[in-house]
Amino acid sequence: MLLAIDCGNTNTVFSIWDGDKFLCTLRTSTHHARTADAYFTWFSTLIKHYEIDHDISEVIISSTVPRVVWNLRVFADRFFNCRPLVVGKPECLLPIEARVDAGTIVGPDRLVNTAGAFDRHGGDLIVVDFGTATTFDVVAADGAYIGGVIAPGVNLSLEALHNAAAALPHVDIAKPSFVIGTNTVACIQSGVFWGYVGLVREICDRIKAERDRPMTIVATGGLAPLFQQSVDLFDSFEDDLTMHGLTVIHNHNKENAT
Ligand SMILES: Nc1ncnc2c1ncn2[C@@H]1O[C@H](COP(=O)(O)OP(=O)(O)O)[C@@H](O)[C@H]1O
Ligand SMILES: CC(C)(COP(=O)(O)O)[C@@H](O)C(=O)NCCC(=O)O
Ligand SMILES: [K+]
């Protein structure tokens, strides 16, 4: 079985793939100093709790935080006796190379989302991932990542307001009932929620105009459902897109192993 690990700047997600389906999805906060032993203590406790019968022999990692990779490598080696495949490293093959400016290191999460979305939908896609940052990945007709957009994440925007303005409280994102807020919390929620709706719509429209062709918009990431339920922005929402992309890249490497 395959253990797929997606480490974002906020959360790290582990999923076990039995070749047919994901047996479980476990989430912890991302912390660069967490040791291999700490990962295993957390992982084995939850596996036991959910009574998951697994036989992990392979590990694939995508990490937007370079510093965590070392401890995750030790975790794979010590507890599953395997050398993990790390997306973005030269030894990890991609179904198709990214076409970007020379020297650009594309976030591995974006390469993984590209592979996962192309496998499901074919080309000409915009993948919107609501993570710490909100990323837009543009996928060409042949499945290559050809660039995109990086915007501050929803929670990052809320945190920035709270941190920079003494009188503004910490606020959780929600769809406000009205655009015109009649209290501070409602004003902030309106600014960030509707501001974000506008941001996503404008960026997708401009990408489509620049590409001059119809494109399918696929959304993923923790906060995507909030927008999907409220406004018609995306053609589909796929919670497991990054995990699916990891299985696609893993398969591709097995099939092309020399
Ligand atoms: N279901 C949810 N409801 C509200 N906030 C969420 C939910 N899931 C994730 N978040 C928040 O959304 C942000 C992005 O989370 P995540 O997608 O895990 O980011 P990353 O992949 O960058 O680690 C974080 O601030 C996280 O706390
Ligand atoms: C843009 C990101 C910070 C998003 O990370 P996340 O929100 O998933 O933690 C990450 O993909 C990254 O570090 N990218 C490197 C630059 C690039 O993709 O062009
Ligand atoms: K992400």
Side-chain angles (χ1 to χ4, degrees), residues 59-204:
V59 178
I60 183 165
I61 301 168
S62 160
S63 179
T64 57
V65 184
R67 287 172 77 188
V68 303
V69 174
W70 192 80
N71 280 320
L72 286 171
R73 277 185 191 279
V74 177
F75 168 76
D77 176 56
R78 185 174 297 164
F79 299 104
F80 303 111
N81 202 20
C82 71
R83 194 181 140 81
L85 194 57
V86 181
V87 178
K89 297 288 175 203
E91 66 274 17
C92 178
L93 305 172
L94 295 172
I96 180 159
E97 287 305 315
R99 291 195 289 275
V100 289
D101 296 350
T104 300
I105 298 174
V106 180
D109 55 322
R110 308 178 77 188
L111 299 172
V112 173
N113 284 343
T114 295
F118 181 70
D119 182 66
R120 284 182 174 164
H121 301 275
D124 287 325
L125 309 173
I126 304 171
V127 182
V128 189
D129 188 335
F130 290 83
T132 309
T134 299
T135 50
F136 297 71
D137 311 324
V138 180
V139 184
D142 62 356
Y145 169 90
I146 55 162
V149 174
I150 300 173
V154 174
N155 283 320
L156 203 56
S157 308
L158 290 162
E159 275 302 299
L161 277 177
H162 171 57
N163 290 338
L168 297 188
H170 170 82
V171 173
D172 287 327
I173 188 69
K175 183 189 174 189
S177 308
F178 304 99
V179 177
I180 303 170
T182 50
N183 58 68
T184 308
V185 169
C187 287
I188 296 173
Q189 283 177 336
S190 183
V192 174
F193 182 87
W194 293 114
Y196 244 83
V197 170
L199 179 149
V200 172
R201 196 168 272 153
E202 183 75 11
I203 286 174
C204 289

Side-chain angles (χ1 to χ4, degrees), residues 17-79:
W17 175 248
D18 73 357
D20 190 35
K21 60 183 178 310
F22 289 109
L23 299 184
C24 62
T25 295
L26 313 174
R27 202 174 288 266
T28 183
S29 54
T30 298
H31 182 45
H32 70 83
R34 185 172 291 129
T35 63
D37 293 345
Y39 279 113
F40 189 70
T41 308
W42 162 79
F43 178 79
S44 55
T45 305
L46 287 175
I47 289 296
K48 208 168 146 193
H49 174 79
Y50 291 122
E51 299 178 1
I52 310 270
D53 189 17
H54 73 83
D55 178 17
I56 293 167
S57 55
E58 294 168 297
V59 178
I60 183 165
I61 301 168
S62 160
S63 179
T64 57
V65 184
R67 287 172 77 188
V68 303
V69 174
W70 192 80
N71 280 320
L72 286 171
R73 277 185 191 279
V74 177
F75 168 76
D77 176 56
R78 185 174 297 164
F79 299 104

